[in-house]
Amino acid sequence: MWWIPISSQTPTGQTQLRVGRLTKAHGLKGAIKVELYTDDPERRFAPGSVFQLQVPTSSPWHGKTLELIELKWYNSHAVAFFKDVPDRSAAEALIKAILWVNQDVAESPAEDDAWYDHQLVGLAVMRDGVKVGVVSRVDHFPAQDLLLVMTESGAEVLVPFVKAFVPAVDVKAGVVTVTPPPGLFEELPEEELPDVELPDDVSTTEDDQTPEATL
């Protein structure tokens, strides 16, 4: 089970943002490669930055925070050094951990076509001008992000958060427009049976008479 850092420890007026994921130990001195989920690493990964950790409940780091000493670049890869992570063994215990930071709710992303999770949750999901549900959660995965949509019937539908399926987001209007493939929000209609050419001596009419038995 994964612990998602949220709520009780978040100050009033703030939310939490996912800014990175630790992917691989680097060298012998506790350095860890970081997959960045931010366009502003200088700000998010400044020395002294403190991250809440999303790790399995069995991890010794569960419920703890991680303080950054320094972020360096090696062959275009971001590599971080953290306080209390002195060697490779300690670094490997943090692999796959996701890093979160506190963020003011009123602050918007600097880049276009980017939104924080708290801006998306609660928005109406519209398809062809018809409301099909509400965004209840945003799931983050290495390959892509997914919108969890609670439909009008109470079902949960995962929509890939890519331009092809989510062409427009209007936070001010409270609307997310989706263009999902057929069947994502409803059952596909049954395919019609193909026409089959029958032999000349076979009939499908109801008034066919059963031939009399030959004695």
Side-chain angles (χ1 to χ4, degrees):
M1 179 179 179
W2 286 83
W3 172 71
I4 307 294
I6 283 203
S7 4
S8 60
Q9 298 181 357
T10 305
T12 302
Q14 293 192 335
T15 186
Q16 290 189 310
L17 302 180
R18 182 193 65 150
V19 295
R21 184 172 72 98
L22 305 181
T23 62
K24 186 178 180 181
H26 180 85
L28 302 176
K29 297 183 179 180
I32 311 174
K33 288 186 177 181
V34 185
E35 180 179 2
L36 299 178
Y37 298 148
T38 174
D39 291 332
D40 192 7
E42 291 80 11
R43 174 190 175 191
R44 300 299 185 189
F45 288 84
S49 296
V50 176
F51 305 97
Q52 289 82 41
L53 294 171
Q54 179 180 335
V55 293
T57 54
S58 59
S59 169
W61 287 94
H62 175 242
K64 297 181 180 180
T65 59
L66 197 60
E67 181 177 339
L68 181 71
I69 297 174
E70 186 179 12
L71 184 72
K72 294 185 176 182
W73 295 86
Y74 294 92
N75 298 323
S76 75
H77 292 291
V79 176
F81 294 82
F82 297 101
K83 185 177 179 181
D84 299 324
V85 185
D87 52 35
R88 188 179 184 90
S89 177
E92 289 177 343
L94 282 161
I95 299 309
K96 296 185 179 181
I98 297 177
L99 308 178
W100 296 75
V101 296
N102 291 337
Q103 169 74 29
D104 289 337
V105 173
E107 185 175 343
S108 297
E111 61 272 19
D112 296 330
D113 293 332
W115 302 271
Y116 296 136
D117 291 8
H118 68 271
Q119 294 178 297
L120 299 171
V121 173
L123 297 187
V125 179
M126 307 293 290
R127 182 189 61 178
D128 297 329
V130 178
K131 182 178 178 181
V132 293
V134 174
V135 177
S136 63
R137 192 175 74 235
V138 183
D139 287 337
H140 303 283
F141 296 97
Q144 65 184 7
D145 295 335
L146 299 172
L147 298 181
L148 180 64
V149 178
M150 183 68 70
T151 68
E152 300 291 281
S153 65
E156 293 183 339
V157 177
L158 288 172
V159 179
F161 197 14
V162 295
K163 199 73 173 178
F165 296 150
V166 187
V169 174
D170 190 335
V171 173
K172 291 184 178 179
V175 171
V176 173
T177 301
V178 297
T179 54
L184 193 58
F185 282 94
E186 71 284 300
E187 294 293 331
L188 287 172
E190 293 185 8
E191 295 183 2
E192 295 182 0
L193 292 176
D195 293 331
V196 178
E197 186 175 349
L198 299 175
D200 294 338
D201 59 345
V202 176
S203 173
T204 59
T205 58
E206 294 183 0
D207 56 355
D208 286 347
Q209 306 226 346
T210 303
E212 295 180 2
T214 301
L215 297 177

